[in-house]
Amino acid sequence: MNTILVGLQWGDEGKGKVIDVLSKDVAFVVRYQGGNNAGHTVVVDGESFVFHLLPSGILHQGKVCVIANGVVVDPVVLLDEMSMIQKKGVKIEGRLKISEQAHVIFPYHRILDGLRETKRSNKIGTTGRGIGPCYADKASRCGIRMGDLLNPRLLKDKLQDNIKEKNDIFKKVYRHPGFSFKDLYASYLAYGRSLKNFICDTSVLLNDAIAVKKPILFEGAQGTFLDIDFGTYPFVTSSNTISAGACSGTGVAPTKIDRVIGVVKAYTTRVGEGPFVTEFSKSMNEDIRAKGREFGATTGRPRRCGWFDAVMVRHAVILNGADSLAMMKLDVLDQLDTIRVCVAYTYKGKTVQRFPSDLEFVKNAKPVYKDFRGWKINISKIRSYKDLPRATKDYIAAIEDLCGAPASIVSVGSGRDETLFR
Ligand code: GDP
Ligand code: IMO
Ligand code: MG
């Protein structure tokens, strides 16, 4: 069984937790897009791990973890994360595989990410990790790939060309001193040497595994409304975050995928700029942010919070072909008297139930809410779906109905055991 797991909102839905929980039943866990803009949290016995590049299945010894071709890799961050996890006693030799075709993030990408933001009047609020500029180089065919780090002559040619052009731009457009070829060349050759044993053709590895029916779990990063095509453009990330991205990002064909699980929070959050129809007022925002600990796992920025938006999620279920939902963080809503769900948008006298592709509409849309009774008890100790309060079940059922997919997993806390399966 090959499963794609994707976020159906703006990221941080709790993908890391679900990946960790589902990892025990698969042979491979694969990251296929994004880079260290992602922050996936896994909590085991009270200890919290945040993974930016390593797949969230890494804590399960014996499972092979793959960073596939669609990911952009900052080797400094990757080596840091590898050493962090090794210090915890987790073995990675032989079970971490990095695609030779994955593109490499260089310091000029990271710095340019920040400099471009300063020049924009409509800031995106990126994570500043160089993700956009690295994908831009990939598309303009001047990118450098992980495999190139193992070939000194090739790396020299490509890096020389890049630095020549970038330094011109940095100096003339941004009044930045630019970068030394010598320093970057030496350090990236060294990263290549450190990562040599992990780099391979991961598309062959994965397709060979599929041929002998080894189950694969594809770990999406970010969320559907950060997708470069279908998200709230330009307030998006630079990759295809929807389930289709798992195929181009790994070289595994769509015919080999058996199911798609969409992860949603029981409410909505967003980090960075861009429209957010159901965003809470200031005080409610602060309240839920505190209860849900809604601070970015990558940048520490406070996350913007709002009511569950069924207009968005219904659209996301379709874009991703989600067969089922994993509904996370229901416990965060425990104390509320009334819980609202957005069922339509209105703007200029027009009411829509479909998520509009017109950003002006989304920016100005007013939410139409349906209200639900809160359950007003602590549900985090509940271990079986049937024991949930009636009001919680009603809320879940309404979301399933509005969004067109059943919730197969319900989460009431960050720990592994705080997960209810149906
Ligand atoms: P991801 O990027 O989708 O992996 O999500 P993040 O790790 O950025 O953010 C999700 C946060 O919610 C993490 O701190 C998780 O430990 C936490 N979390 C996950 N599921 C639950 C849940 O059901 N209840 C609560 N209270 N926290 C949860
Ligand atoms: P996970 O995988 C939430 C957001 C940034 C910004 C926009 C573009 O943990 O869910 P980028 O650095 O990618 O160019 O920033 O995308 N963003 C995320 N928001 N969760 C993430 O990842 C995100 N990765 C990027 O805040 O608005
Ligand atoms: Mg996150």
Side-chain angles (χ1 to χ4, degrees), residues 10-12 15 37-40 125-127 221-222 226 236-237 271 301:
W10 276 299
D12 303 326
K15 299 176 293 293
N37 47 351
H40 296 180
T126 74
T127 60
Q222 290 82 51
L226 290 172
V236 295
T237 191
V271 202
R301 287 178 293 176

Side-chain angles (χ1 to χ4, degrees), residues 57 84 318:
M84 175 276 286
I318 294 166

